[in-house]
Amino acid sequence: TALFKREVYFAFAEADDLNPQFVLRGYAHAQFFGRSLWNTNLEYRFPISKIEKGSGTDAYFFKRLSGAIIADGLGVEGSGLTSDPAAPPLALNLNEGIWNTGIELKLESTIGYVLPMNFILGYYIPHSPAYASGAQLGLSLQIGGF
């Protein structure tokens, strides 16, 4: 198995369907389906550097760089797609936990003088081998102040 998997996903706002999909870092997008769930996220975020710099009159400003150690868990009453595309989905219940751990780097910035934008680079290790075959490197973009 490869150490890194490169996958790009775009998730757009849309109406809920009959089988909601749940996202968990370290696993594929829309890999888990169901009607009831529990989800937990433990995160320790720490400062690395206070940048507070722009580039003259260019419309960007870098604020801070921080790191995080994370652990996520998900339990779902439904099913999950395995890492084998030919295999049928596995049934899941709320007593089964699907877990991952990882580390992240987060760059906080402002674009166009008013738009907050965060870049997050993460390395996630899934702990349920039936659903993911190896660690993943992910790049996220957060736009807005929330």
Side-chain angles (χ1 to χ4, degrees), residues 46-115:
F46 50 92
I48 294 176
S49 176
K50 193 171 188 178
I51 302 170
E52 303 282 339
K53 287 187 184 175
S55 175
T57 59
D58 292 334
Y60 66 89
F61 185 79
F62 297 126
K63 295 178 182 177
R64 289 175 288 281
L65 182 65
S66 62
I69 299 169
I70 61 117
D72 295 323
L74 173 73
V76 62
E77 184 179 332
S79 61
L81 302 174
T82 65
S83 55
D84 179 10
L90 296 177
L92 293 168
N93 63 48
L94 290 173
N95 296 329
E96 297 176 67
I98 300 162
W99 296 90
N100 77 329
T101 54
I103 57 173
E104 290 182 340
L105 283 176
K106 179 179 180 181
L107 174 64
E108 298 175 45
S109 67
T110 302
I111 306 296
Y113 302 109
V114 294
L115 182 64

